[in-house]
Amino acid sequence: MSRIDHYAIFGHPIGHSKSPLIHRLFAEQTGQSIVYTAQDVGPDCFDTALRVFRAGGGMGLNCTVPLKELAFRTADRLTERAELSGAVNTLWWDEGGRLHGDNTDGVGLLRDLTVNLGLTLSGRRILVLGAGGAARGILGPLLAQRPAVLVVANRTVSRARELARRFADLGPLRACGFTELAGQRFDLILNATAAGLENQLPPLPAGLLLPGGVCYDLMYGDQPTAFVRWGIGQGAGLSVDGLGMLVEQAAEAFLRWRGVRPDTGPVIARLRA
Ligand code: ATR
């Protein structure tokens, strides 16, 4: 009898998650027999939901907002990149029943930027907006690309400073508030704030982009996000949302769980269509 392995994404809210579709397309493409469901789980019931899922034969999980820090604290073992980011988006149990945690967000973003979009980050001036969990997951992988400078700007400046201290050994990282950005210029601006959830924008000065500069929103939506629209208005060479990152981080999780890397290009194209 063939066995169907069960995976899921936990988060709140979860209704509009594209992850079940993405993993179904990966499974079809690679001939893997899995089911992948979305479960509305908040922090208060995370432990219980995890136990119930495991008892029912669950093999692995993705965690999204607001559970990534909690997943980090719950895992028995962490990958190096999860340890560094302080957040976990991918969980799985080993044969001994230990729960492993990884963070595939950073590598997913990098694959989208460098492979899908063909960008070079080395020697570039990069700005990250936001200093929450989403920002923390991408700073290490971005610094590993050896940018000329990486600036983290946040509404609450102390949070940006704390991140700059945490990642100081990894490269040229500076912290500031939004008003201090005036007069600075960047090749790439990444929006890792949650402002887009309310269709808002951080208060950004005009003229932040160097000619041909790129805007990238870690969020995505069926319509262009407020930040993507801002980038277009600022004359960006390219202004895109994070759908590619979403598919790439999912592919990395799929690889962890199933030992096979799906071809992401057709899946991104299908979701865009
Ligand atoms: P996540 O895990 O999604 O990053 P988070 O840890 O709550 O969520 O962080 C949300 C980020 O979005 C923070 O950088 C937050 O700024 P503060 O640290 O000052 O709270 C930022 N953010 C949320 N709403 C914002 C808004 N309307 N304008 C600017 N920044 C906003």
Side-chain angles (χ1 to χ4, degrees):
M1 202 175 75
S2 71
R3 205 186 71 180
I4 297 183
D5 293 333
H6 194 178
Y7 298 87
I9 181 163
F10 285 6
H12 177 79
I14 203 70
H16 296 293
S17 173
K18 294 189 192 297
S19 293
L21 172 60
I22 292 170
H23 283 277
R24 181 163 65 70
L25 294 172
F26 287 168
E28 279 170 19
Q29 187 196 85
T30 57
Q32 297 280 309
S33 196
I34 70 163
V35 289
Y36 185 109
T37 54
Q39 297 189 24
D40 198 319
V41 175
D44 294 349
C45 52
F46 180 64
D47 275 347
T48 310
L50 200 62
R51 256 183 283 123
V52 169
F53 181 69
R54 177 62 176 160
M59 308 273 290
L61 278 176
N62 286 130
C63 292
T64 186
V65 177
L67 301 173
K68 290 182 187 181
E69 281 90 359
L70 190 53
F72 171 82
R73 293 197 297 275
T74 305
D76 302 312
R77 299 276 159 86
L78 295 165
T79 61
E80 205 180 314
R81 61 195 184 192
E83 185 92 59
L84 186 65
S85 66
V88 156
N89 75 336
T90 303
L91 291 163
W92 69 97
W93 287 271
D94 66 19
E95 278 148 18
R98 279 177 300 261
L99 185 62
H100 292 251
D102 190 11
N103 189 325
T104 67
D105 286 333
V107 69
L109 171 68
L110 277 193
R111 280 190 73 91
D112 197 36
L113 291 174
T114 62
V115 180
N116 300 338
L117 302 174
L119 303 179
T120 303
L121 305 184
S122 158
R124 299 300 153 110
R125 296 180 54 81
I126 302 178
L127 170 62
V128 170
L129 305 170
R136 207 163 48 193
I138 64 172
L139 293 183
L142 286 172
L143 286 168
Q145 297 289 306
R146 306 186 148 274
V149 68
L150 180 53
V151 175
V152 183
N154 197 45
R155 182 173 61 181
T156 312
V157 185
S158 58
R159 282 186 93 189
R161 294 223 174 90
E162 197 225 307
L163 282 193
R165 271 195 298 276
R166 185 180 175 120
F167 290 88
D169 293 346
L170 300 182
L173 184 57
R174 294 206 311 253
C176 67
F178 295 129
T179 49
E180 295 156 69
L181 291 172
Q184 300 191 53
R185 301 274 180 277
F186 297 93
D187 298 291
L188 171 64
I189 305 178
L190 297 137
N191 179 34
T193 72
L197 287 178
E198 284 128 34
N199 209 20
Q200 288 180 355
L201 266 183
L204 299 172
L208 284 180
L209 277 175
L210 285 160
V214 174
C215 287
Y216 191 102
D217 198 342
L218 269 62
M219 298 219 164
Y220 61 89
D222 293 333
Q223 302 298 320
T225 64
F227 180 71
V228 166
R229 293 198 305 271
W230 178 83
I232 293 167
Q234 293 292 309
L238 182 69
S239 191
V240 289
D241 70 13
L243 185 71
M245 173 182 174
L246 178 77
V247 175
E248 294 295 344
Q249 63 77 30
E252 201 70 22
F254 194 90
L255 173 64
R256 272 271 167 216
W257 295 330
R258 310 302 299 180
V260 46
R261 166 176 277 289
D263 184 7
T264 50
V267 176
I268 295 172
R270 164 86 185 264
L271 288 166
R272 289 253 181 247

